[in-house]
Amino acid sequence: MLKVAPFEIGTHQIAAGTRETVDLPVSVLSDHTPVTMSVHVVHGRRPGPTLFVSAAVHGDEVIGVEIARRLMQARMLGNIRGTILIAPIVNTFGFLNHSRYLPDRRDLNRSFPGSARGSLASRLAHLFMKEIVTRSDFGIDLHSAAIHRTNLPQIRVSPADPDTLALAEAFGAPVILTAPLREGSMRQAALDHGVSMLLYEAGEGLRFDEFAVRAGVRGILRVMHALDMIPVKGVSKSKTDSAYSTSSSWVRAPAGGLIRMFRSTGEAVDEGDVLGIVSNPFGDVEHEVIAPIAGLIIGRTNLPVVNEGDGVFHIAKVQKRNATADAVDDMAAQLSADPLFDEDEII
């Protein structure tokens, strides 16, 4: 068997067939408390690709942290080909403060590739690129909706990238949404270095969602199998195909007030359907929220208080939307029956 060299990250060397949590120095708080970015490295005995999984780039998106925690407990990681780098909390500052942003109010996912001499956000982005992205062949970045909103589990990929699209299909989320790259995003910076990524969106900020967590863990394991990093045993293929969408739009509140919502994520809607009603506090003025297009609801607000113009429903155009809505229910049932997540597996 080909001897695998130790994996180098920071000042650490992880021997083949071992795993270790590495603390990469980030900064020192004003009270002299050191801040690090912790990365769990599982380095296989056999050669293979290097995959990174990152979460909490936005500090309030805790869904990804739980997905990473469960992933690290998966038994099949004990005999992988290649290497997996798991960074459960990239933005420690935001995570501790229950905030999307860093202390300087910058969005880390608009600060890539960063700079060693730039702002705090820029320096953290630079560290992540240097130590994680440039050492990897592929990446999966875990996100959720912002606070008071929720997303149906979905994978976002760059257009015209057939290899990434194939891995998105392997992931098996209910929806695959092609989304253009944004300047300053991790996806853009990674691609500039020849590293393709999937972006997983699911659930709500500062909240856990069991369906979103299970879909995320299972999807990552499926991608690892597709990359020939783990065997097929213990990794069930999704029984339903993902729906494709190349466009989506937000339905915005026609007025400020209290919204009563009649539809939820994963439901199919037709153009002209009433999705909810916005009333003033007295109830004598009401405005219907109408679906402007037919499609599948992939996101919505959870807050019953809205201002005029607030995004309240996110609708993606998909083919066979009613069949897709049924497929979402099937996926939820499959994940609920999945034995991987029994307590003896994740504790």
Side-chain angles (χ1 to χ4, degrees):
M1 185 183 348
L2 180 65
K3 186 176 181 180
V4 176
F7 187 86
E8 297 184 5
I9 180 171
T11 60
H12 299 256
Q13 289 192 340
I14 293 87
T18 66
R19 57 197 298 169
E20 181 180 338
T21 298
V22 174
D23 293 327
L24 302 174
V26 174
S27 178
V28 177
L29 297 180
S30 54
D31 68 350
H32 203 62
T33 302
V35 178
T36 62
M37 180 172 63
S38 299
V39 184
H40 190 71
V41 183
V42 183
H43 188 37
R45 290 187 178 88
R46 296 171 292 171
T50 298
L51 169 71
F52 79 81
V53 176
S54 55
V57 168
H58 296 132
D60 60 352
E61 296 180 352
V62 299
I63 283 279
V65 183
E66 176 64 7
I67 291 172
R69 184 189 74 82
R70 296 193 191 185
L71 176 64
M72 286 184 278
Q73 301 302 315
R75 292 178 180 176
M76 52 276 290
L77 263 60
N79 190 32
I80 70 169
R81 296 178 182 269
T83 307
I84 184 168
L85 312 176
I86 305 173
I89 303 173
V90 178
N91 180 1
T92 301
F93 303 94
F95 182 80
L96 292 175
N97 291 301
H98 303 167
S99 170
R100 180 181 181 88
Y101 305 106
L102 282 99
D104 58 6
R105 295 298 297 170
R106 283 180 168 86
D107 185 333
L108 180 58
N109 209 27
R110 298 294 177 268
S111 302
F112 285 90
S115 166
R117 297 179 178 271
S119 66
L120 178 59
S122 184
R123 293 178 187 217
L124 180 54
H126 173 76
L127 175 68
F128 191 85
M129 290 295 298
K130 175 185 174 184
E131 298 291 351
I132 307 296
V133 174
T134 58
R135 300 177 190 273
S136 303
D137 300 300
F138 195 78
I140 302 175
D141 192 25
L142 308 173
H143 288 264
S144 74
I147 188 171
H148 304 316
R149 290 183 179 177
T150 189
N151 279 337
L152 179 74
Q154 59 198 260
I155 285 289
R156 298 186 181 182
V157 297
S158 305
D161 188 348
D163 293 336
T164 304
L165 186 58
L167 292 176
E169 292 174 344
F171 192 104
V175 177
I176 298 173
L177 185 64
T178 56
L181 296 168
R182 291 192 176 186
E183 192 68 29
S185 69
M186 184 194 297
R187 273 204 303 155
Q188 176 69 73
L191 192 60
D192 289 343
H193 281 80
V195 180
S196 295
M197 287 177 50
L198 298 180
L199 190 149
Y200 177 65
E201 283 273 4
E204 178 186 0
L206 296 178
R207 296 288 185 272
F208 280 176
D209 179 308
E210 188 64 20
F211 176 42
V213 171
R214 293 188 179 204
V217 178
R218 178 56 64 185
I220 295 170
L221 294 175
R222 288 173 180 149
V223 170
M224 292 182 69
H225 170 61
L227 292 171
D228 197 30
M229 296 180 71
I230 58 176
V232 69
K233 185 178 180 181
V235 183
S236 62
K237 186 180 184 296
S238 177
K239 296 178 181 178
T240 54
D241 294 331
S242 303
Y244 289 95
S245 176
T246 57
S247 65
S248 65
S249 62
W250 275 96
V251 184
R252 300 192 175 274
L258 306 175
I259 185 169
R260 307 192 305 277
M261 289 175 284
F262 306 147
R263 298 300 187 94
S264 189
T265 54
E267 292 189 29
V269 297
D270 291 312
E271 182 179 349
D273 282 354
V274 178
L275 307 179
I277 291 178
V278 178
S279 304
N280 69 7
F282 306 98
D284 55 352
V285 178
E286 294 190 335
H287 300 269
E288 292 183 336
V289 180
I290 305 297
I293 59 172
L296 187 75
I297 298 176
I298 61 170
R300 53 160 252 187
T301 183
N302 287 332
L303 197 64
V305 181
V306 296
N307 294 304
E308 183 175 346
D310 283 353
V312 288
F313 290 94
H314 191 190
I315 302 177
K317 290 184 177 180
V318 295
Q319 294 182 340
K320 302 178 180 179
R321 56 188 181 277
N322 289 318
T324 301
D326 292 338
V328 172
D329 293 336
D330 292 342
M331 286 182 182
Q334 181 182 355
L335 290 168
S336 296
D338 199 323
L340 174 68
F341 306 101
D342 289 344
E343 285 302 306
D344 62 345
E345 290 278 351
I346 64 175
I347 293 178

